[in-house]
Amino acid sequence: MNLPFDFIEQTRQLMGAEACNELCEALTRETPVSIRMNNDKCPLHPLHATPVAWSKGWYLDYRPTFTFDPLFHAGCYYVQEASSMFVEQALRQYVHEPVVMLDLCAAPGGKSTLARSVLPEGSLLVANEVIRNRSQVLAENLIKWGHPSVVVTNNDPADFPELGGVFDVILTDVPCSGEGMFRKDETAVSEWSLENVNICWQRQRRILQAIWGCLKPNGILIYSTCTFNREENEDNVAWIARELGAEVLPIETDAAWNISGNLTGGEFPVYRFLPHRTEGEGLFLAVLRKTCEDSYEPASKRNKKNKPTDKKQTVAYPKAVTEWIADHKQYEFSAENGTITAFPATWKDLYMRMKQTLRVIHAGITLAEQKGKDWQPSHSLAMSTQLAPQVFPLADLTYEQAIAYLRKEAITLDASIPKGYVILTYQNHPLGFAKNIGNRANNLYPQEWRIRSGYMPEEVKTLLF
């Protein structure tokens, strides 16, 4: 790896020559493999794995062929870099009651799926991504994770203030110069420059200014990057505290984790994961509590005018559909544009405001889509942890059948399987729906999610239990 000269010089000035050399050497080593289990679906201990000390994640001593592992597509686990899992500590130590949380720069979904697993029951997570195609990947990963109290949006940070100060927690894993990703992404090395670092820290401040009014007084901001320099890290944290009004909070850690602290001489606590000291990639994280009392008041309230809302056309649908999910009385159901959605009733009013203000691309559980006179169950329902048992017949697939299904190829089911909508499973974990018509089954796996590779690797390694 040919690291940029300016990067080496900048890092030497920050860390000292010895630590800089150790870091540069670590960046030539192989990247560790780590995952998190989805305990709501598959609370198992993977084999050939050791725990990630600061999270309920696992290091694997082998690299599974994730694309060809049906349990990966079933949302049973998520592949996430171990250092990023440190967000779990911030949430566990400072969030103890149900909250509304925003993950502002959320794609592809690692920190969102982690947050959704850690947040207290009754919380609502809003996961946002500004780039449209990345927001679709974010939605896919959260749908597979299966928790119903999630909203996925595709918006610029400047779109959020119209909601007002509604968030108790905001995670800003801000776009950065990507120094911590050098050994995973050669493009990050080739695109790095001092000029880009300057562009990044200024962009990060604009993002934080845009979103600050959406955080409630005494709310928690988790600020993180995957970079090493001080400009995007300590300097920005000092700026948030000074200019926006916040207190930097400590996180209790274990010395054995080898987390580095503030490298600029500042007294406020920050947490640096450096590859020559911790087993993972580069991560910087700080936790701040908002101390100023101001929060943004939407223009509609300032002007005492409510934003006009479109009249919704009522669509009739069979009430039996509502019983496809467990505890269905805890949900608000709506049918719009040929789609039936179930959303936690607790957050109904906030959800309505978000639909009027933001570009919502997924929310709650999509139950069914209208196909002619038929209501076809949605893939979101199959992935949901709230899928009611015994509503649909199940058909467990072999590995070969599961891969064919995930490629959206034709499937033939056993003659004992009833006709109609069937949930196809692998090792008893739902993969999605098919419509069994007897001599064959129509594959209802989402076209855009299919495995596109037409060949099998010479050696397939799946996660072992």
Side-chain angles (χ1 to χ4, degrees):
M1 181 187 299
N2 295 317
L3 295 172
F5 174 80
D6 286 339
F7 166 76
I8 296 173
E9 285 301 303
Q10 175 183 262
T11 305
R12 183 178 288 118
Q13 291 178 22
L14 179 66
M15 301 181 182
E18 182 179 357
C20 176
N21 291 337
E22 291 175 352
L23 172 63
C24 293
E25 191 278 328
L27 293 177
T28 67
R29 301 176 201 157
E30 188 174 347
T31 302
V33 180
S34 50
I35 65 165
R36 280 183 300 102
M37 300 303 300
N38 186 345
N39 289 329
D40 289 333
K41 288 189 174 186
C42 191
L44 299 177
H45 182 317
L47 298 178
H48 310 294
T50 54
V52 175
W54 47 85
S55 170
K56 292 186 177 180
W58 300 92
Y59 293 108
L60 303 180
D61 63 8
Y62 64 104
R63 183 176 293 277
T65 318
F66 296 116
T67 299
F68 293 92
D69 188 350
L71 295 184
F72 172 71
H73 297 275
C76 291
Y77 66 93
Y78 190 93
V79 185
Q80 184 177 19
E81 193 281 307
S83 299
S84 297
M85 299 181 195
F86 187 63
V87 170
E88 178 172 331
Q89 290 297 323
L91 291 173
R92 289 195 185 279
Q93 293 186 34
Y94 286 104
V95 181
H96 305 114
E97 303 293 334
V99 294
V100 181
M101 175 176 171
L102 170 64
D103 186 354
L104 183 64
C105 313
K111 292 182 178 68
S112 288
T113 54
L114 183 151
R116 190 54 277 179
S117 295
V118 172
L119 288 173
E121 193 61 35
S123 298
L124 178 67
L125 174 68
V126 180
N128 177 71
E129 173 56 43
V130 65
I131 301 173
R132 189 166 184 80
N133 63 337
R134 284 170 56 83
S135 70
Q136 298 297 329
V137 175
L138 174 64
E140 175 183 344
N141 285 325
L142 281 166
I143 288 170
K144 287 177 177 177
W145 207 245
H147 198 289
S149 298
V150 169
V151 179
V152 181
T153 59
N154 171 216
N155 286 85
D156 187 273
D159 297 334
F160 281 88
E162 187 62 24
L163 281 176
V166 298
F167 297 108
D168 304 283
V169 181
I170 298 180
L171 168 60
T172 54
D173 185 34
V174 288
C176 68
S177 58
E179 297 164 358
M181 304 299 290
F182 276 0
R183 65 177 171 179
K184 288 182 68 175
D185 184 0
E186 293 182 3
T187 303
V189 180
S190 63
E191 292 183 348
W192 187 93
S193 68
L194 289 175
E195 181 183 6
N196 191 39
V197 170
N198 287 330
I199 291 171
C200 285
W201 71 255
Q202 294 176 67
R203 180 194 299 128
Q204 290 153 4
R205 293 188 184 187
R206 288 194 297 271
I207 290 171
L208 292 161
Q209 278 184 312
I211 206 68
W212 191 247
C214 298
L215 183 64
K216 294 178 180 178
N218 296 314
I220 296 295
L221 175 79
I222 302 172
Y223 177 82
S224 68
T225 72
C226 58
T227 197
F228 302 124
N229 64 76
R230 64 174 292 166
E231 289 85 353
E232 299 178 73
N233 294 326
E234 284 95 342
D235 289 357
N236 268 354
V237 172
W239 176 85
I240 296 168
R242 181 181 67 251
E243 300 296 331
L244 300 184
E247 171 193 9
V248 187
L249 302 176
I251 300 176
E252 185 177 343
T253 62
D254 191 315
W257 299 352
N258 289 324
I259 301 172
S260 300
N262 196 314
L263 297 182
T264 65
E267 296 182 356
F268 54 86
V270 300
Y271 304 87
R272 284 177 169 272
F273 286 70
L274 303 174
H276 64 288
R277 290 178 52 83
T278 54
E279 190 176 358
E281 301 304 325
L283 175 81
F284 174 93
L285 186 140
V287 179
L288 301 98
R289 177 182 285 120
K290 184 175 182 176
T291 55
C292 64
E293 293 299 317
D294 69 300
S295 60
Y296 188 89
E297 186 178 37
S300 58
K301 289 188 177 181
R302 294 197 304 269
N303 300 331
K304 297 184 178 181
K305 292 180 181 179
N306 291 322
K307 195 171 184 176
T309 57
D310 296 329
K311 291 184 178 180
K312 293 189 178 101
Q313 183 178 2
T314 303
V315 179
Y317 61 91
K319 297 305 177 186
V321 170
T322 65
E323 297 180 4
W324 290 356
I325 58 174
D327 299 325
H328 59 273
K329 293 182 180 179
Q330 304 299 316
Y331 293 84
E332 187 80 14
F333 296 88
S334 61
E336 300 174 31
N337 301 320
T339 300
I340 304 173
T341 300
F343 195 80
T346 302
W347 302 110
K348 178 184 92 169
D349 292 342
L350 178 56
Y351 175 46
M352 295 302 294
R353 287 170 59 192
M354 284 191 285
K355 287 207 297 183
Q356 295 171 19
T357 307
L358 304 174
R359 187 181 300 110
V360 176
I361 61 175
H362 171 75
I365 309 167
T366 305
L367 292 180
E369 299 170 1
Q370 194 165 23
K371 303 292 183 181
K373 295 182 179 180
D374 193 15
W375 284 99
Q376 178 177 292
S378 168
H379 190 75
S380 170
L381 175 65
M383 294 291 95
S384 177
T385 57
Q386 296 302 302
L387 173 67
Q390 301 177 339
V391 172
F392 298 96
L394 307 177
D396 205 46
L397 304 180
T398 65
Y399 176 81
E400 291 73 19
Q401 287 177 314
I403 294 300
Y405 174 72
L406 293 168
R407 282 175 163 160
K408 204 169 172 62
E409 296 173 356
I411 299 292
T412 301
L413 302 178
D414 187 90
S416 63
I417 303 298
K419 291 183 180 180
Y421 292 111
V422 177
I423 292 180
L424 304 185
T425 64
Y426 177 73
Q427 296 182 3
N428 299 315
H429 295 286
L431 293 178
F433 282 100
K435 187 173 185 180
N436 189 24
I437 56 177
N439 59 335
R440 62 182 173 83
N442 292 336
N443 190 329
L444 302 182
Y445 195 74
Q447 176 74 15
E448 61 276 15
W449 294 10
R450 73 191 188 284
I451 296 175
R452 289 173 169 80
S453 176
Y455 71 94
M456 291 290 290
E458 291 184 7
E459 182 181 11
V460 173
K461 295 180 180 180
T462 58
L463 196 62
L464 302 174
F465 299 101

